[in-house]
Amino acid sequence: MSEMNPISFKKVPKSEKNTEKILRPSSTFLKDAWYRFKRNKLGLFGAAIIILMILFAVFGPIVIKADYMTQNLSMAYQGPSAGHPMGTDALGRDLFVRMAYGARISLSCGFVAALISLVIGVTYGTIAGFVGGAVDNVMMRIVDIISSIPSMLYLILFMVVLGNSLWNVFLVIGITGWQGMARLVRGEVLSLKQREFVLAAKVSNVSNWNIMWKHLIPNAFGPIIVSMTLSIPSAIFLEASLQFLGLGITAPMPSWGGLAQEGIGAIRTFPHMLWYPALFISITILAFNFMGDALRDALDPKQN
Amino acid sequence: MTKYILKRIVMSIFVIFLIATATFWLCRAIPGGPFDKEKPLNATTIANLNKKFHLDKPVSEQYVDYMVGVAKFDFGPSYYHINESVNDYIDRCFPVSMTLGVWAMIVATLLGIPAGIVSALKQNGWQDNILKVLTTLFVSLPNFVIASGLMYFLGIKLRLLPVSMWGTWKEMVMPVLALAAYPLSYFTKMMKSSMLEVLNSDYIRTAKAKGASNFIVIYKHALKNALLPIITVMGPMFASIITGSFVVEKLFVIPGLGQEFTKSIFNRDYTMIMGLTIFYSILLIASILIVDVLYAVVDPRIKLGKEGK
């Protein structure tokens, strides 16, 4: 080997000094998710529809000055007009306002029921997954048993027992729909609790309670949010079907399912009474599904 | 294999027992007696009614009686319809619901599976795109929206089909379609994804490499394996058809068990509600059991796995 000769070395020009550096600014999980979500047109469309529906529910009754139960028989069965953008029903009540109140009930049912099943499902699933062993086995068999029966059946049974006031309906739909969430969270917890950070937490004497709530659940955040978003439309769906059967919240409080049921009676003569609720339910459910799918792609990229 | 089936049967009976117990105690928890009417009956009448329906016995004894009845498939008398039992209603109305449900299942299977195959073979073609839109719609729309849409366009606008009653094939078309919409779309989606998975597997490549024709590859090698996952979702689809029939039977005025169930809730006919809930549960659990056993029989890999343990 020849001797080192300074002449054979060249100084690196300043402009090339940093080429090895990674220039992209570091990004958080949520920023990444938002970036992926933004590129999904269908998901954005769904989110826009949901925001419009919420605005309709909040401001609808303010735009049109009428309340949902004032009857005016001389105005019954009117088609859409300037005074009544969606027409009136059999008792002359303004359909636009009734639809807006219906949106309040249907949407809040979706959110409240999803929240209740979130709380029950996450707690149940975390305990089953974290404790493991025989406890897990028994808890999951119980979930299997409950989910082998369609929720509609025992939903009806609970409603008969508890009565069908607004909050009861929300509560019952919530407490019948948590099994999917429990399964999902249990699966996540089972795989997460094997990871090193949980071992590290255990070694540093963190209580089991804190490991569950501060380490395991926040790490399962993505799939939980996705599953919750997708459980909102099924709650809306269930509530609407119940009202359509005449088993939901009692009159004169309208929900979209109840309005559709009133519309069916007039299907031959005044189909507009059926179309608005049917259309709004369909659009809302589709919008939540689109947004849920987009959120899945955004928050849980491992799934695909 | 026999051990597996036996284990499943015992488990199913246990589940039915749990459900019957829960249903019984839930119905006991309803405030007020079964004979509280808007116009109160006098005390003697209530006492007599209680005696007639054995409601004067202690609750624990009633529970045992009821469970023995359920074991014999006897759901007791109706509190609302005098001199008729829950079993009378099941005998009379269930065949109607059964016909409706079986037809819906047949339509869903016969249309859904070919649609799924087409969708997989022409992936991203126009056929696939149309099917994608349709299945997304029909999977998410509530069936009362689909049913009332059919009713309006086929029944009222085009006057092709009668909008209510039950009996002739013309009257059956719309309810069956309304009920089949969800399972049909679900089968299409399932079939598409399972077909795509199979078509990408190694043995399909081998079959192609050895020079088998396209027809043989698809129908002899791929289809058989792609059909397996469909069997597993038969159970849940059966459940969706039962709950769907509540809505469809009410809408099309079909004298089936689903309509009787919703009516019994209005009438506060507790024995009927209890009896039909348990009856539906038995039906479902039996169907899930049959599907699971069928799956183990059809797929030899599962049988081996179970016996290997």
Side-chain angles (χ1 to χ4, degrees):
Chain A
M1 213 179 169
S2 62
E3 213 179 299
M4 283 263 231
N5 187 354
I7 302 164
S8 55
F9 290 93
K10 229 169 48 182
K11 239 188 171 177
V12 175
K14 235 185 185 159
S15 60
E16 280 175 32
K17 220 172 182 176
N18 286 334
T19 44
E20 293 292 303
K21 221 176 187 176
I22 296 164
L23 282 173
R24 190 168 175 266
S26 70
S27 168
T28 61
F29 173 68
L30 280 180
K31 259 190 196 164
D32 267 354
W34 172 238
Y35 173 74
R36 282 190 291 263
F37 185 78
K38 264 196 310 197
R39 289 195 309 179
N40 191 326
K41 293 278 180 303
L42 212 53
L44 277 183
F45 176 70
I49 296 277
I50 292 165
I51 292 170
L52 279 180
M53 282 295 169
I54 293 173
L55 289 179
F56 173 62
V58 174
F59 297 109
I62 298 169
V63 175
I64 296 275
K65 288 260 178 284
D67 77 81
Y68 64 90
M69 45 193 298
T70 309
Q71 302 177 4
N72 180 0
L73 286 177
S74 63
M75 295 289 282
Y77 290 130
Q78 303 247 320
S81 64
H84 303 286
M86 292 184 187
T88 58
D89 73 355
L91 297 169
R93 296 173 291 197
D94 181 74
L95 262 186
F96 185 85
V97 172
R98 282 177 75 75
M99 282 296 293
Y101 276 99
R104 286 184 181 184
I105 292 182
S106 289
L107 290 176
S108 40
C109 175
F111 288 120
V112 173
L115 215 65
I116 294 172
S117 47
L118 173 88
V119 172
I120 302 177
V122 168
T123 316
Y124 194 95
T126 313
I127 293 172
F130 189 75
V131 179
V135 176
D136 176 37
N137 217 335
V138 170
M139 283 177 91
M140 289 335 274
R141 283 301 81 72
I142 294 173
V143 169
D144 285 348
I145 291 170
I146 296 174
S147 51
S148 68
I149 305 300
S151 51
M152 189 85 152
L153 267 181
Y154 49 98
L155 195 76
I156 289 174
L157 205 63
F158 273 127
M159 302 265 294
V160 171
V161 178
L162 295 174
N164 47 2
S165 74
L166 187 66
W167 284 101
N168 274 348
V169 174
F170 291 179
L171 191 75
V172 168
I173 292 180
I175 56 179
T176 51
W178 52 272
Q179 304 92 339
M181 181 67 87
R183 280 209 184 107
L184 176 105
V185 173
R186 172 198 171 250
E188 289 288 320
V189 167
L190 270 183
S191 77
L192 283 172
K193 76 171 182 184
Q194 309 287 344
R195 301 262 289 270
E196 281 85 356
F197 67 88
V198 176
L199 188 68
K202 275 186 186 157
V203 167
S204 35
N205 199 21
V206 179
S207 69
N208 280 345
W209 178 262
N210 276 344
I211 290 180
M212 279 194 238
W213 295 100
K214 298 236 165 93
H215 296 276
L216 295 174
I217 292 172
N219 273 294
F221 173 76
I224 290 175
I225 290 292
V226 172
S227 160
M228 192 185 133
T229 315
L230 290 173
S231 74
I232 294 172
S234 49
I236 294 176
F237 183 117
L238 255 179
E239 194 277 331
S241 303
L242 271 182
Q243 274 245 342
F244 191 79
L245 286 173
L247 306 173
I249 302 148
T250 31
M253 194 76 105
S255 109
W256 285 342
L259 290 169
Q261 194 224 355
E262 285 169 14
I264 276 286
I267 187 173
R268 282 170 193 278
T269 36
F270 305 101
H272 71 271
M273 277 174 61
L274 174 64
W275 292 146
Y276 288 117
L279 188 74
F280 275 53
I281 294 169
S282 311
I283 289 181
T284 310
I285 289 178
L286 279 174
F288 272 109
N289 281 333
F290 288 155
M291 196 175 87
D293 286 342
L295 276 180
R296 186 203 312 275
D297 295 342
L299 290 173
D300 200 9
K302 281 170 287 179
Q303 284 252 330
N304 290 341
Chain B
M1 189 66 197
T2 359
K3 204 178 148 194
Y4 169 69
I5 295 175
L6 272 177
K7 209 174 129 192
R8 285 300 321 261
I9 291 175
V10 171
M11 189 68 198
S12 302
I13 291 171
F14 178 65
V15 171
I16 290 168
F17 166 78
L18 282 184
I19 289 168
T21 306
T23 312
F24 179 87
W25 291 108
L26 265 177
C27 281
R28 287 297 123 171
I30 300 169
F35 308 114
D36 292 349
K37 300 274 157 65
E38 281 155 54
K39 210 172 128 198
L41 302 165
N42 65 45
T44 341
T45 318
I46 289 192
N48 281 337
L49 278 169
N50 280 344
K51 196 160 185 183
K52 185 188 171 197
F53 292 116
H54 306 294
L55 291 172
D56 48 351
K57 288 188 189 174
V59 189
S60 56
E61 213 169 306
Q62 287 178 38
Y63 168 68
V64 173
D65 283 352
Y66 192 77
M67 295 307 272
V68 170
V70 169
K72 291 183 196 151
F73 226 73
D74 172 14
F75 298 107
S78 156
Y79 285 165
Y80 189 82
H81 302 276
I82 304 153
N83 294 332
E84 277 194 288
S85 72
V86 179
N87 285 58
D88 290 341
Y89 274 87
I90 294 176
D91 291 346
R92 189 166 71 234
C93 304
F94 183 59
V96 175
S97 298
M98 186 79 179
T99 319
L100 177 63
V102 167
W103 273 110
M105 205 59 155
I106 292 174
V107 169
T109 325
L110 289 188
L111 293 180
I113 290 173
I117 297 173
V118 169
S119 213
L121 293 181
K122 312 268 179 196
Q123 201 191 1
N124 296 325
W126 61 269
Q127 300 96 327
D128 183 32
N129 284 334
I130 291 178
L131 284 171
K132 246 192 259 172
V133 174
L134 287 180
T135 49
T136 314
L137 271 180
F138 288 134
V139 160
S140 32
L141 294 189
N143 46 17
F144 68 84
V145 172
I146 297 170
S148 43
L150 279 173
M151 199 179 206
Y152 184 73
F153 289 109
L154 296 182
I156 292 169
K157 278 279 128 153
L158 299 174
R159 294 184 179 281
L160 285 175
L161 298 162
V163 291
S164 65
M165 299 321 283
W166 182 252
T168 62
W169 69 268
K170 271 192 163 182
E171 288 160 349
M172 286 167 71
V173 173
M174 280 201 285
V176 166
L177 281 183
L179 205 51
Y182 177 78
L184 170 56
S185 323
Y186 201 86
F187 282 155
T188 309
K189 278 187 165 206
M190 276 294 284
M191 194 63 204
K192 182 191 169 189
S193 62
S194 98
M195 194 74 181
L196 280 178
E197 204 184 307
V198 168
L199 283 178
N200 283 327
S201 60
D202 289 344
Y203 63 87
I204 293 295
R205 198 182 49 200
T206 313
K208 276 184 187 158
K210 74 176 188 196
S213 71
N214 236 343
F215 184 84
I216 296 272
V217 169
I218 291 163
Y219 293 97
K220 196 145 178 267
H221 295 270
L223 189 58
K224 243 184 182 169
N225 285 293
L227 275 175
L228 282 174
I230 294 286
I231 300 177
T232 50
V233 294
M234 284 286 202
M237 288 303 105
F238 203 72
S240 90
I241 281 184
I242 285 179
T243 48
S245 76
F246 297 166
V247 169
V248 169
E249 285 179 13
K250 187 183 160 91
L251 197 56
F252 290 101
V253 203
I254 296 166
L257 205 56
Q259 209 192 11
E260 225 34 77
F261 186 57
T262 32
K263 264 193 210 158
S264 71
I265 294 158
F266 280 112
N267 297 337
R268 302 266 145 184
D269 187 352
Y270 297 133
T271 36
M272 188 77 106
I273 301 173
M274 267 157 80
L276 291 186
T277 306
I278 298 170
F279 176 73
Y280 277 129
S281 313
I282 294 176
L283 207 64
L284 269 169
I285 287 166
S287 70
I288 292 171
L289 176 73
I290 292 168
V291 164
D292 281 358
V293 170
L294 200 68
Y295 194 60
V297 170
V298 172
D299 192 345
R301 284 168 297 186
I302 288 178
K303 199 159 62 185
L304 281 177
K306 289 280 170 193
E307 280 180 350
K309 268 180 192 170

